[in-house]
Amino acid sequence: MFLRIIAEFKRLGATIVYADFNRIILSSVKKSVSDALGYVDYVVQSLRNKEMFHSMQLSFEQCWNFMLWLDQSNFFGIRGKLPKGIDETVTSIAAGNTTLRQSQARSEDVGEFSDLADWTDPCDTHIINEVICKACNHCRDLDLCKDKQRALKDGIPVWLCAQCYVAYDNEEIEMRMIDVLQRKVMSYVLQDLRCVRCNEIKRENLAEFCTCAGNFVPLISGKEIETLLNTFNNVASYHKMQLLQQTVQQALKTPR
């Protein structure tokens, strides 16, 4: 049903910026807020008129004239005209201007085309899908490290429902994280190898090289597992999840 809704938005001319089961952010490419609101109302009414979408609840919440989007935790929206300083920055980014990159690279004493000059998100995180609030049954994806709905309960940090602000059960989230971790580690242990040259999956167990003379590499890298373990370890330490922390520590000691 979710995929059908997204497909219908696209069919009616909308550009999907971001979408999950609770929120859809789209670009209407309209010139004014009033035109954009009229367009959104038309699209929503069109969806409601289809029998398959009668059980769905769709409502408009917010509108921006301009938006810079990186991910659901890093975006910037403005209603009205852009301030001059922000306007210049947006214009530089939209035009692919490399001057900003060059000056920043020089200030950091690194080469312009060095890997160190590329921006990377400093906060590793993990998203638990479809967390359901036991108080109001609101379902949403929970970003373990970047979610803003937080509080302290009995001195322990907890996540809050974004709709009714009741605390989620930390033990339930901990069990789900342990399940994710065990599945990921098992997938890493039992994974196939692929050739770096032809991308074919390794078939012969004893073959050192592919038939095309390429080397074999794992589908899931040890770095990916290490990042997940470190992220879960930080979350477990901060939220006082002892069982998860023990599981992570044991996995970290396992050779990879």
Side-chain angles (χ1 to χ4, degrees):
M1 185 65 70
F2 172 72
L3 294 177
R4 287 184 175 183
I5 289 177
I6 297 302
E8 193 67 15
F9 271 114
K10 291 181 178 179
R11 187 185 71 82
L12 294 172
T15 300
I16 305 299
V17 177
Y18 172 81
D20 58 28
F21 290 163
N22 300 298
R23 177 175 59 170
I24 298 176
I25 298 177
L26 57 86
S27 172
S28 66
V29 201
K30 298 297 180 180
K31 299 298 183 181
S32 67
V33 172
S34 59
D35 290 343
L37 293 177
Y39 171 76
V40 171
D41 184 63
Y42 162 74
V43 172
V44 171
Q45 290 298 328
S46 177
L47 290 173
R48 287 174 177 168
N49 291 335
K50 293 183 178 293
E51 184 177 354
M52 70 176 70
F53 299 130
H54 282 177
S55 61
M56 305 296 296
Q57 293 183 357
L58 295 173
S59 60
F60 165 80
E61 290 189 359
Q62 198 168 3
C63 180
W64 300 278
N65 292 80
F66 303 94
M67 172 181 279
L68 289 177
W69 178 273
L70 177 63
D71 56 40
Q72 58 180 322
S73 299
N74 299 279
F75 65 91
F76 177 73
I78 294 179
R79 295 200 62 175
K81 295 184 178 180
L82 284 173
K84 180 171 177 53
I86 297 177
D87 183 32
E88 293 174 352
T89 302
V90 172
T91 302
S92 297
I93 295 174
N97 196 331
T98 60
T99 304
L100 185 61
R101 177 188 175 99
Q102 291 172 346
S103 61
Q104 184 175 1
R106 285 194 297 268
S107 67
E108 299 292 338
D109 196 25
V110 297
E112 178 188 349
F113 299 102
S114 168
D115 292 340
L116 296 175
D118 293 329
W119 184 89
T120 57
D121 193 335
C123 179
D124 291 322
T125 189
H126 185 83
I127 296 176
I128 299 294
N129 296 319
E130 299 180 27
V131 176
I132 300 176
C133 174
K134 294 182 179 179
C136 67
N137 291 323
H138 179 65
C139 178
R140 72 183 181 104
D141 295 340
L142 178 63
D143 192 318
L144 295 175
C145 299
K146 298 179 181 179
D147 192 81
K148 298 178 181 179
Q149 307 298 336
R150 297 171 177 267
L152 287 177
K153 183 178 180 180
D154 299 328
I156 298 177
V158 295
W159 296 275
L160 303 177
C161 172
Q163 181 164 290
C164 68
Y165 302 105
V166 171
Y168 293 128
D169 186 349
N170 267 19
E171 290 187 5
E172 182 178 330
I173 294 178
E174 181 180 18
M175 291 300 104
R176 291 191 60 175
M177 292 176 68
I178 291 175
D179 181 64
V180 169
L181 180 59
Q182 291 176 338
R183 290 174 181 269
K184 192 70 174 181
V185 171
M186 185 62 67
S187 297
Y188 175 76
V189 173
L190 300 178
Q191 69 177 312
D192 290 319
L193 301 177
R194 69 172 179 83
C195 174
V196 294
R197 293 185 63 183
C198 65
N199 285 326
E200 290 290 330
I201 298 298
K202 182 179 181 180
R203 298 180 182 179
E204 302 294 334
N205 291 333
L206 299 179
E208 184 177 358
F209 299 99
C210 180
T211 53
C212 71
N215 293 321
F216 289 112
V217 295
L219 297 175
I220 304 173
S221 66
K223 179 64 175 178
E224 181 179 344
I225 295 295
E226 185 177 354
T227 298
L228 180 67
L229 290 172
N230 289 330
T231 300
F232 276 26
N233 187 52
N234 291 335
V235 173
S237 177
Y238 183 72
H239 289 272
K240 308 298 190 294
M241 298 176 173
Q242 296 182 359
L243 182 57
L244 174 60
Q245 197 164 21
Q246 292 173 4
T247 305
V248 171
Q249 292 297 335
Q250 183 178 0
L252 286 171
K253 295 177 182 178
T254 303
R256 286 180 295 279

